[in-house]
Amino acid sequence: MKRLKFSDLLITIMIGVVFGITMKFWDDLYTVVKPMLPIARQLLYGMWFMVGPFAFLLIRKPGVALLASIAAASLSAFIGGGFTVLIYGFVQGLAAELLFASFRYKKFGIVVAGLAGVASCFAGFFLDLFYGYANLESWALFVKYGLRVVSAFLFTGVFAYLIVRALEATGVTNLIRPVSKEEYSLLDN
Amino acid sequence: MLELFTPHRETWLYRVNPALKFVVFFAFMLIVLFNQNFHFALNQLILYGVLVYSFSGYSWRKLLLFSVPIVISFVSSAATMMLFGKGVTIWWSWGLIKISEESFNYGLLLGFKTLSFGFISLVFLLTSRPILLFYALMQQFRLPSKYAYSFIASIRLMPVIVEELQTRSDALKIRGVHFPKGLKGIFQRLRMYTVPLFAQSIRRAQRVAVAMEAKRFQMGAKRTYYYPTTYERVDAVFVIVMVVSFASALVLSVR
């Protein structure tokens, strides 16, 4: 159906890179300001799931969520995040991509984007199980990942959606989105 | 900044095919991730530590400096697990904090993994050039050129994006923008910073793509490469050294 053109591809990867840089910038700032606030840290964790759903809401084509997530992760890996970021980015992006695919890439709303974030969160949890981050007492486990799910929905659903809306207002989305049938039919009159 | 990342001397690791090096290290990383054996984790950590400190070609002082963030993440991940991890044989407890034998060992295991990841990544980053990695991935591992060149173009444009982010940050500061506390503030900050950045980057990426296609860049077409990369003898040496040292790390741990 809607195949990716070269410009879509380049834009997707560029979005990933911009996200990678912004996240790094913020993470540094945050580490300096609040080193020991675990709860706030979990509440902001959803930021790391944002890139894939955001790219999909913007470009609305299959494959974009996964690709943007990999791009952001590769960039973070290069500027000091290390190889682990790469595997997390891949798995989280894949989860978001599969969620969009399960809606046949036809839904672009807050709920679907939020669910994609939650899917990424679960995928990340799966990796944490192997890494060893999830070997916590049950209350700590519940608090940590509970907050993370809430944050995932908030960032990927609400925030990403609103930012895409703001970008639509700037007009740049006209460069990328496929022209719909209704818009063609407008020309007929 | 540039001087910081200039090696003391170029070791044999610099001449290994970057894509091969990437694939081997990536495979090691997966093994570290899924391994749950304490001794194996420790042996691997020693292996990667030796790799960074003896073969990266940087001086001790610089390497210690680069290791600071890795050690910090070691301490934070190990400490959290020791204090809040689950376990039965309790050594010490105070309120919600509970240190047990199991949580202590898990904490160390987690810490070893974090250190190993840090060292593998560091040795790769210090001895490889990102652009050549993509060229080698295209030539030796058949990565489609559309992805590789998109990445290369994005990496080349990175300094521009960083500069824009800085400009945006300065602009907001000089306009005296204050953000409210809490989630609303976080969202406003996110919007204020990223919307102009995204708008600019999307336009720029679109222009670059059009320009590349105007110069006859075609997706999926057969092509030649500006930087040819091949396999050489040093690659065989690399694979043998890695396999042997990795196998000995494994054998020494199961004894």
Side-chain angles (χ1 to χ4, degrees):
Chain A
M1 41 180 233
K2 296 173 282 184
R3 298 262 334 253
L4 283 178
K5 290 181 295 183
F6 181 64
S7 58
D8 297 328
L9 211 83
L10 193 56
I11 290 170
T12 307
I13 289 175
M14 191 75 86
I15 286 172
V17 168
V18 173
F19 246 101
I21 293 173
T22 326
M23 298 292 112
K24 172 77 183 158
F25 179 76
W26 265 32
D27 198 46
D28 288 350
L29 215 68
Y30 188 72
T31 321
V32 175
V33 183
K34 299 169 181 167
M36 281 314 222
L37 276 182
I39 289 189
R41 207 170 177 88
Q42 293 308 327
L43 270 180
L44 285 183
Y45 203 90
M47 229 159 50
W48 305 103
F49 304 134
M50 239 175 115
V51 53
F54 176 82
F56 177 74
L57 290 181
L58 199 66
I59 299 175
R60 301 189 172 177
K61 286 186 183 177
V64 162
L66 176 62
L67 195 60
S69 188
I70 293 177
S74 324
L75 185 100
S76 308
F78 272 125
I79 56 180
F83 281 7
T84 22
V85 183
L86 209 53
I87 182 92
Y88 273 84
F90 173 74
V91 171
Q92 289 167 0
L94 189 65
E97 183 70 41
L98 289 176
L99 196 115
F100 289 126
S102 72
F103 287 93
R104 297 166 157 256
Y105 299 107
K106 277 180 183 152
K107 293 263 190 287
F108 318 103
I110 289 188
V111 177
V112 177
L115 286 179
V118 175
S120 298
C121 185
F122 279 114
F125 173 68
F126 179 72
L127 282 181
D128 278 355
L129 277 180
F130 288 107
Y131 196 138
Y133 274 123
N135 253 314
L136 297 165
E137 279 290 343
S138 35
W139 68 268
L141 194 73
F142 189 75
V143 171
K144 182 176 178 185
Y145 290 97
L147 286 174
R148 214 177 260 194
V149 168
V150 172
S151 154
F153 192 89
L154 194 66
F155 274 91
T156 62
V158 186
F159 290 179
Y161 183 81
L162 290 176
I163 288 177
V164 169
R165 288 283 293 275
L167 271 174
E168 278 167 7
T170 67
V172 283
T173 45
N174 299 337
L175 285 175
I176 28 184
R177 291 226 180 110
V179 186
S180 66
K181 260 214 181 80
E182 296 90 74
E183 282 163 286
Y184 271 124
S185 58
L186 279 181
L187 293 176
D188 295 338
N189 301 326
Chain B
M1 192 66 188
L2 273 178
E3 219 165 73
L4 184 66
F5 290 101
T6 313
H8 194 53
R9 67 198 154 85
E10 295 214 341
T11 58
W12 58 283
L13 274 179
Y14 287 76
R15 296 193 305 273
V16 176
N17 184 300
L20 179 73
K21 192 160 52 179
F22 177 77
V23 169
V24 169
F25 284 166
F26 198 79
F28 281 0
M29 194 214 73
L30 287 178
I31 295 170
V32 174
L33 182 67
F34 290 107
N35 166 47
Q36 304 294 338
N37 180 309
F38 187 83
H39 287 284
F40 188 32
L42 178 60
N43 288 349
Q44 286 183 88
L45 170 60
I46 294 169
L47 167 65
Y48 305 133
V50 169
L51 214 53
V52 173
Y53 277 86
S54 323
F55 299 111
S56 67
Y58 282 76
S59 68
W60 276 82
R61 277 158 72 200
K62 277 187 192 173
L63 286 173
L64 283 176
L65 183 66
F66 296 148
S67 303
V68 169
I70 302 175
V71 171
I72 290 176
S73 64
F74 164 76
V75 171
S76 77
S77 59
T80 318
M81 185 51 66
M82 284 175 188
L83 297 179
F84 302 109
K86 60 180 169 197
V88 198
T89 330
I90 292 166
W91 284 348
W92 187 75
S93 75
W94 184 73
L96 285 173
I97 296 173
K98 192 176 73 184
I99 301 179
S100 63
E101 191 185 335
E102 290 89 345
S103 74
F104 186 80
N105 287 338
Y106 262 128
L108 274 187
L109 175 66
L110 182 62
F112 289 164
K113 287 185 179 187
T114 311
L115 276 180
S116 298
F117 289 141
F119 285 150
I120 304 181
S121 311
L122 189 59
V123 79
F124 182 78
L125 291 178
L126 289 180
T127 60
S128 321
R129 284 172 52 203
I131 303 294
L132 281 187
L133 169 66
F134 286 108
Y135 273 94
L137 280 173
M138 277 192 282
Q139 289 170 70
Q140 269 76 48
F141 288 87
R142 307 240 166 271
L143 175 73
S145 59
K146 54 183 178 181
Y147 297 115
Y149 280 105
S150 300
F151 268 102
I152 291 173
S154 307
I155 291 175
R156 295 273 195 227
L157 289 171
M158 236 179 77
V160 185
I161 300 169
V162 173
E163 200 189 313
E164 271 178 4
L165 184 62
Q166 200 57 52
T167 311
R168 184 68 186 154
S169 171
D170 293 345
L172 289 177
K173 209 175 285 168
I174 223 157
R175 289 172 199 164
V177 176
H178 282 288
F179 296 104
K181 281 198 167 165
L183 281 173
K184 205 172 171 193
I186 289 171
F187 172 66
Q188 282 194 4
R189 205 165 279 157
L190 201 60
R191 202 192 58 197
M192 291 279 214
Y193 275 97
T194 56
V195 170
L197 224 58
F198 279 127
Q200 277 298 73
S201 302
I202 290 169
R203 288 195 194 105
R204 194 181 300 119
Q206 158 86 11
R207 279 201 302 270
V208 171
V210 169
M212 281 169 77
E213 288 188 317
K215 291 201 168 186
R216 309 307 291 149
F217 175 84
Q218 284 169 311
M219 289 202 287
K222 207 170 151 51
R223 59 173 300 118
T224 53
Y225 301 96
Y226 186 72
Y227 297 109
T229 56
T230 50
Y231 287 129
E232 279 157 40
R233 194 179 299 154
V234 68
D235 295 306
V237 174
F238 171 73
V239 171
I240 293 168
V241 169
M242 284 299 130
V243 168
V244 168
S245 46
F246 188 79
S248 29
L250 181 63
V251 169
L252 286 174
S253 66
V254 287
R255 232 173 2 110

